Amino acid sequence: MDNLAQAYQAYFPVGAAVTLASLRSHRRLLRHFNSLTAENYMKPMYMHPSEDEYNFRYADKIVDYAMQSKKRLRGHTLVWHNQTPGWFFAQGGEKASRALVLSRMEDHISTVMGHFCAAAYAWDVVNEPIEDDDGKGLLRESPWRAAIGDDYIAHAFRFARKADPACVLFLNEYNETAPAKRGRIAELARALRADGVPLDGIGMQGHYNLYGPSADEIAEAIEVYAALGLQVQVTELDISLFAFEDHTVYTQPPQELIELQAKRYRQVFEVLRRYHRYVSGVTLWGLADDTSWLSNFPVKKRKNWPLLFDDAHNPKPALEEVLQAARQPLAR
Ligand code: XIL
């Protein structure tokens, strides 16, 4: 069988999110990917559980594997409203001062990026900072924003550039193809660039489903971000069998949905390949359907089948479509 990363070699690296467990249990699928992201272990919750304790043990094992197998590594993630311990924002039972939270942010970014300097070529510096709902302003609520102010994002990128000047710095976001949210992402990115903030790219998380976004919406998002002089990476691609509000439960996935999913994967990869000048990486959020995070989100314990390999780690129709798409002549 063809190899996914090889098939797209001329266009962009193809990555997957992994855990320590999946590096073993899904070992035979790893050859399809030439880039890795730690699904959880590089998040503050795991790496910086208390102020004077950094724990690189788990992440280091993923790094070792990436180095040995000569795969790229994306760092994920430094500044986020989720999976971040509360100590960052507290001091003696009170709220910590702005100055203290800023210095903790700098310490976190410089220590973590310093540690992974040789291994991680890119980092999601700020994850999901944008407001979801229209008419509620640009930025979402976040303990970072509450403690520091709206400029927490600019500070994070400046600290990151200082910590590792060679690293490619991303703002990573979901619903990134929805026109209104896309507009807010672009507005923030434009303002940051105008202020000389070192932002290099937009991470399009790519949590899509059978019904959207359309190929045109994905193309438009890439064009909008690229027009700002930014590179684009799809950082967490998966294609859910369910619309977001649909809570249907299946024990086995209906074959017609699996076929539809294959078509959708093909469309997505066709667009990404067409825009390969701007797209510098595409990462799937997991290796196979047996361990996808979507079997716990947005509905707890509701099974989903969003990836390219099935529960038994066999290739799905989607993989074949994606491989075939890579063989088509590319319009100039
Ligand atoms: C998810 C992981 O996949 C889960 O294992 C964890 O329980 C929660 O986080 N956007 C992101 C990722 O940026 O870090 C999230 O990963 C999925 C949504």
Side-chain angles (χ1 to χ4, degrees):
M1 194 210 338
D2 275 9
N3 174 304
L4 179 60
Q6 257 166 30
Y8 283 85
Q9 203 156 34
Y11 309 111
F12 38 69
V14 181
V18 297
T19 63
L20 278 182
S22 75
L23 286 182
R24 291 167 181 272
S25 54
H26 295 62
R27 177 168 228 108
R28 69 187 173 89
L29 301 183
L30 293 165
R31 68 181 186 88
H32 285 283
F33 302 94
N34 53 7
S35 175
L36 300 177
T37 305
E39 184 169 355
N40 285 300
Y41 290 140
M42 292 194 185
K43 294 171 179 173
M45 186 181 146
Y46 289 91
M47 279 202 311
H48 203 171
S50 61
E51 181 147 29
D52 31 46
E53 184 193 356
Y54 280 96
N55 176 3
F56 296 126
R57 216 163 349 140
Y58 306 118
D60 279 349
K61 294 195 174 154
I62 292 175
V63 170
D64 288 347
Y65 175 78
M67 303 276 260
Q68 274 164 30
S69 56
K70 301 201 163 48
K71 298 185 198 298
R72 289 167 172 254
L73 189 81
R74 296 191 84 257
H76 176 83
T77 179
L78 296 164
V79 173
W80 192 20
H81 61 277
N82 273 335
Q83 292 183 285
T84 302
W87 68 258
F88 273 99
F89 313 105
Q91 174 72 341
E94 309 271 310
K95 282 192 195 157
S97 68
R98 176 178 195 270
L100 182 58
V101 179
L102 262 177
S103 78
R104 285 170 172 170
M105 180 197 259
E106 177 162 26
D107 177 76
H108 180 77
I109 291 177
S110 65
T111 306
V112 170
M113 287 186 74
H115 181 85
F116 295 107
C117 210
Y121 80 101
W123 268 97
D124 293 326
V125 177
V126 180
N127 199 25
E128 306 180 343
I130 301 291
E131 171 58 42
D132 264 315
D133 297 333
D134 301 344
K136 285 175 63 184
L138 197 60
L139 301 182
R140 76 175 304 140
E141 285 178 19
S142 151
W144 291 108
R145 183 176 172 219
I148 296 171
D150 290 359
D151 60 347
Y152 85 95
I153 299 169
H155 281 288
F157 280 98
R158 292 202 161 105
F159 294 150
R161 182 64 98 227
K162 197 167 136 200
D164 181 356
C167 194
V168 193
L169 306 181
F170 284 87
L171 186 155
N172 196 43
E173 191 53 88
Y174 66 93
N175 282 350
E176 72 285 345
T177 60
K181 194 166 176 189
R182 177 188 81 202
R184 287 192 283 278
I185 297 170
E187 184 182 333
L188 173 64
R190 197 177 296 116
L192 292 173
R193 299 274 288 192
D195 287 346
V197 174
L199 167 70
D200 300 314
I202 300 295
M204 297 176 48
Q205 287 191 4
H207 294 298
Y208 303 152
N209 65 44
L210 292 188
Y211 313 99
S214 69
D216 285 349
E217 283 168 330
I218 297 171
E220 280 160 31
I222 296 170
E223 284 182 15
V224 166
Y225 303 138
L228 298 171
L230 297 166
Q231 52 177 292
V232 170
Q233 295 196 348
V234 177
T235 54
E236 307 182 14
L237 181 61
D238 45 24
I239 300 188
S240 167
L241 297 192
F242 307 101
F244 196 77
E245 316 70 34
D246 178 359
H247 293 188
T248 309
V249 174
Y250 297 121
T251 46
Q252 284 305 316
Q255 195 53 35
E256 68 269 22
L257 298 192
I258 292 297
E259 298 298 336
L260 192 54
Q261 181 184 51
K263 300 264 146 30
R264 289 281 292 141
Y265 260 111
R266 182 178 183 127
Q267 284 176 355
V268 171
F269 272 86
E270 278 172 355
V271 177
L272 299 176
R273 194 175 73 128
R274 185 145 51 86
Y275 283 91
H276 71 93
R277 269 190 59 205
Y278 308 114
V279 178
S280 58
V282 175
T283 291
L284 278 289
W285 204 242
L287 290 161
D289 285 344
D290 57 329
T291 52
S292 165
W293 78 298
L294 287 178
S295 292
N296 254 313
F297 182 88
V299 188
K300 282 243 165 293
K301 301 206 162 129
R302 190 271 310 269
K303 178 81 175 111
N304 206 331
W305 294 268
L307 293 166
L308 297 172
F309 295 90
D310 69 14
D311 288 331
H313 305 181
N314 293 316
K316 292 164 70 181
L319 181 72
E320 190 44 47
E321 290 288 341
V322 167
L323 290 172
Q324 267 181 31
R327 291 183 213 117
Q328 299 307 307
L330 194 58
R332 288 265 152 207

